[in-house]
Amino acid sequence: MRLPSFLRLSPRWAPYVFISPFLILFAIFGVFPLLFSLYLAFQSWEPTSGLQAMEYVGLGNFAFALEDEWFWKSLKNTAWLALASGVPQHLVAIPLAVFIHNSFKRLRDGVIGAYFLPYITSTVAIAIMFSSLFSKDFGLINAGLHSLFGVENVDWLGKAENIKPAVAFIVFWRYLGFNVVLYLAALQTIPKDLYEAADMDGAGRWQQFFHITLPSLKPMILFGVMLSVIGGLQLFEEPFILTGGKGGIDQSAMTSAMYLYRMAFDFNDFGGASAMSWLLFALVVLMTWLTNRAFRPRGGSV
Amino acid sequence: MSQHVNDGRTSRWLAYAIVGVGALIMLAPFYFMFVFATHSRTEIFNLPPPMWFGDDLFVNLKILTERLPFWRNLGWSVYVALASTALTLLFCSMGGYAFALMDFRFKKALFALVMATMLLPSFMGMIPAFMIMDALGWIDEHRALYIPGAASAFGIFLMRQFASTAVPKELIEAARMDGCGEFAIYWRIVLPLLKPALGTLGLITFIGSWNNFMGPLIVMRSLENYTLPLALRSLQSPVNTEWGALMVGSAIATIPLLILFAVASRQLIAGLTAGAVK
């Protein structure tokens, strides 16, 4: 089939036609809204009163955010959750990946699958499941803790100080497998003869782990930790669903992304929420940069 | 020597035990989701809770379909996931092909832009997304869920990576010499060669859309139009939550994912960690 000549695409224009869906969608749903939110960050505005009700307030929204107690609280919650879910993820994922790499042949795919499954499951289904497992008097988690360690029933979701560990556990559970897969991929690139040479020299398993495995994994650790930092600072769905969108007792599981949502959609303050989103974005960039720096050798070029 | 071998065996069994118990912990919530789906509310909150399947599945399903337009919500989830998969495959394969095999002005800068959008935190889009949907009149419309993300940066990146190794440049030039049009080249030569990557991207897109919560939360307004995650969440209330019904709904929302994962877990895992592992 031949198209009439005016419909035939000249090779010169073809690339632009092929990338045009990206450019058009990106312009409409990416660049424009982003610029608009930057503009909005300097305005006082409630969407219900129409576009003409917008009022320039300078840095007012930013000042308000920085004085807002809840904003700081949400930042602290976010940092707490990111650390409490992120650090164990890597501490557990690295040895787990080493075990799987060394000892599993035939069951390998099945085991990796089991650990990875939570990552592809709907957050809503997960949060619903866990809110029943974490229930105080009849939840399976308390029943297990009681029979194993004799622990009294913990009010996981009804007490301010307990919600955060519950959320952190769910996040840990959900992303552990992803990290295991990252580390498994990195383990495969370590040359076998390094271990053989170490065996010859009489180095034990622990020595091999600390002198060969860990140093070889370092680039992947940097990458994985960076993903955890970026992801942790965006945490939204798990605590949102688990606390019915409100942040739980005393807002103790209200992350910054959740507070942003509430500012805009519960309190109708779009200007304030926009300002907050840019502050938070700056924080993500800063933390990514700091993580990157912390892992580089001192004195080396960045 | 024998000491060493023995050592290896013990530590191997220890590794099996740790990894095995861990895997059970990972899978337990799924198991209990299915078990609880077959028990009534009172049974779920018995002490000890039920460990094996009961016979209230259809009672729970009945409650679920009374409380929610559940089959409609399920239908919308399928519809949105299929539409977004089809559009994403089309747009991303076009873009990925152009970035991998064509030369044009600003190519480097534009690709850098693609990569940059991958790093943008999701919360940055929350407010702007609502405003643009509002301006377009797309609030409570399903196209708001599948059009904006259809030329995803991740998809273009994945396609470009694959196309640059799987599609020989000479083949395309030869076709061009033979008078083959640009669209024909894309459709008849490039697309078939991209098939494996299209499969991976299709799976990832389908699952992403199926699980999408934040998107519908911001734009969808009526229960009738909700996709599954939003509909299920609306059943959760501080008092008298129908747990059995919720579990059936969650289980039904999880089954398609389990099937896809069982069929293509290797492909899926490789695709989802593609940016990291390469």
Side-chain angles (χ1 to χ4, degrees):
Chain A
M1 185 196 68
R2 285 207 154 228
L3 292 166
S5 65
F6 68 92
L7 271 178
R8 284 175 70 92
L9 194 55
S10 88
R12 204 173 141 232
W13 291 108
Y16 300 103
V17 173
F18 282 123
I19 58 167
S20 61
F22 168 73
L23 289 181
I24 294 169
L25 291 181
F26 182 61
I28 301 176
F29 299 105
V31 179
F32 174 72
L34 216 55
L35 291 178
F36 193 69
S37 97
L38 189 59
Y39 171 77
L40 208 57
F42 297 95
Q43 311 285 327
S44 161
W45 184 55
E46 280 186 23
T48 42
S49 29
L51 279 173
Q52 63 278 6
M54 234 177 247
E55 192 188 328
Y56 178 76
V57 290
L59 291 171
N61 288 326
F62 293 93
F64 176 78
L66 291 175
E67 282 166 17
D68 183 359
E69 231 175 276
W70 275 22
F71 180 64
W72 286 106
K73 180 155 195 176
S74 79
L75 280 177
K76 272 183 218 150
N77 289 340
T78 310
W80 196 101
L81 286 170
L83 281 174
S85 67
V87 173
Q89 261 177 54
H90 295 275
L91 290 183
V92 173
I94 292 172
L96 212 55
V98 172
F99 287 156
I100 294 174
H101 181 74
N102 289 339
S103 312
F104 281 78
K105 300 256 147 47
R106 238 190 323 154
L107 283 172
R108 196 170 183 269
D109 281 352
V111 168
I112 296 172
Y115 282 94
F116 200 82
L117 187 58
Y119 181 75
I120 64 147
T121 316
S122 138
T123 327
V124 175
I126 285 172
I128 287 172
M129 189 58 230
F130 272 102
S131 46
S132 99
L133 292 181
F134 273 120
S135 121
K136 181 183 169 232
D137 292 319
F138 310 100
L140 211 55
I141 289 175
N142 275 345
L145 286 176
H146 183 77
S147 60
L148 284 177
F149 308 108
V151 178
E152 287 293 307
N153 281 351
V154 181
D155 192 356
W156 291 106
L157 303 177
K159 273 236 170 77
E161 68 266 28
N162 297 334
I163 303 177
K164 273 202 218 73
V167 173
F169 177 77
I170 297 174
V171 176
F172 164 79
W173 175 82
R174 182 139 196 238
Y175 294 95
L176 178 66
F178 181 84
N179 289 300
V180 169
V181 172
L182 289 192
Y183 290 123
L184 274 168
L187 285 170
Q188 272 163 350
T189 65
I190 305 178
K192 277 221 164 64
D193 34 329
L194 277 182
Y195 292 103
E196 278 157 21
D199 261 338
M200 298 281 224
D201 293 343
R205 282 170 186 281
W206 285 103
Q207 278 174 305
Q208 292 186 13
F209 177 75
F210 281 106
H211 291 105
I212 302 172
T213 312
L214 263 191
S216 314
L217 285 182
K218 208 173 156 192
M220 193 53 101
I221 297 178
L222 163 68
F223 184 78
V225 169
M226 206 126 90
L227 284 186
S228 296
V229 170
I230 296 173
L233 292 177
Q234 298 180 42
L235 194 62
F236 177 79
E237 297 191 357
E238 288 88 351
F240 187 91
I241 300 159
L242 212 62
T243 63
K246 299 281 185 270
I249 308 288
D250 207 16
Q251 281 76 43
S252 59
M254 185 168 66
T255 62
S256 299
M258 276 175 78
Y259 188 43
L260 209 74
Y261 174 87
R262 295 206 71 188
M263 273 293 264
F265 299 100
D266 288 353
F267 311 142
N268 265 317
D269 182 355
F270 272 58
S274 297
M276 254 172 221
S277 76
W278 284 96
L279 285 174
L280 207 55
F281 180 55
L283 188 69
V284 172
V285 174
L286 177 74
M287 290 307 293
T288 312
W289 182 76
L290 283 177
T291 316
N292 200 4
R293 253 196 91 115
F295 274 84
R296 303 272 156 166
R298 261 167 232 284
S301 59
V302 177
Chain B
M1 191 63 201
S2 79
Q3 176 64 35
H4 188 84
V5 170
N6 199 15
D7 234 37
R9 197 170 294 160
T10 345
S11 68
R12 176 160 294 205
W13 279 108
L14 195 67
Y16 284 147
I18 293 173
V19 174
V21 169
L24 286 183
I25 294 175
M26 299 309 280
L27 295 177
F30 294 102
Y31 175 73
F32 285 108
M33 180 193 293
F34 286 102
V35 169
F36 288 1
T38 63
H39 285 278
S40 69
R41 208 171 84 106
T42 40
E43 280 169 348
I44 292 173
F45 290 129
N46 261 343
L47 265 186
M51 296 285 163
W52 189 247
F53 298 92
D55 37 36
D56 277 342
L57 174 63
F58 290 100
V59 181
N60 286 335
L61 201 58
K62 190 158 174 284
I63 299 174
L64 182 68
T65 48
E66 279 166 8
R67 295 284 170 96
L68 287 179
F70 182 74
W71 303 116
R72 235 184 118 92
N73 298 141
L74 184 71
W76 283 127
S77 269
V78 173
Y79 169 76
V80 170
L82 288 178
S84 99
T85 306
L87 275 182
T88 303
L89 290 183
L90 179 69
F91 291 166
C92 292
S93 61
M94 283 166 63
Y97 161 50
F99 276 119
L101 291 145
M102 293 173 148
D103 289 312
F104 51 95
R105 285 183 79 186
F106 309 120
K107 178 166 142 175
K108 277 212 172 117
L110 282 172
F111 193 67
L113 194 71
V114 172
M115 299 300 288
T117 56
M118 271 209 283
L119 299 174
L120 210 63
S122 54
F123 60 75
M124 288 304 285
M126 221 147 53
I127 294 152
F130 170 79
M131 303 203 49
I132 193 91
M133 295 307 162
D134 196 33
L136 290 170
W138 287 12
I139 295 293
D140 213 23
E141 297 277 348
H142 294 97
R143 65 182 98 112
L145 301 178
Y146 59 79
I147 290 179
S152 79
F154 173 75
I156 290 180
F157 169 76
L158 203 69
M159 286 295 152
R160 190 197 90 125
Q161 296 300 91
F162 193 79
S164 56
T165 55
V167 184
K169 214 167 182 171
E170 305 80 50
L171 192 64
I172 290 167
E173 266 148 28
R176 220 170 259 153
M177 294 287 229
D178 288 347
C180 203
E182 291 297 323
F183 270 123
I185 292 176
Y186 159 74
W187 193 256
R188 296 208 199 126
I189 299 174
V190 176
L191 266 194
L193 287 172
L194 289 180
K195 242 182 210 160
L198 287 171
T200 306
L201 181 61
L203 280 169
I204 293 173
T205 311
F206 187 92
I207 292 174
S209 164
W210 186 262
N211 290 339
N212 188 3
F213 176 70
M214 201 196 263
L217 176 71
I218 287 164
V219 294
M220 301 313 282
R221 287 292 171 270
S222 49
L223 187 58
E224 287 281 296
N225 286 334
Y226 278 2
T227 48
L228 271 189
L230 217 52
L232 288 176
R233 192 188 82 100
S234 72
L235 275 191
Q236 239 185 337
S237 59
V239 281
N240 290 328
T241 302
E242 284 291 350
W243 284 106
L246 254 182
M247 292 299 161
V248 178
S250 303
I252 292 175
T254 309
I255 287 171
L257 300 174
L258 292 180
I259 293 172
L260 287 180
F261 196 63
V263 176
S265 70
R266 277 197 133 194
Q267 206 181 354
L268 252 173
I269 293 174
L272 281 166
T273 51
V277 173
K278 274 198 181 140

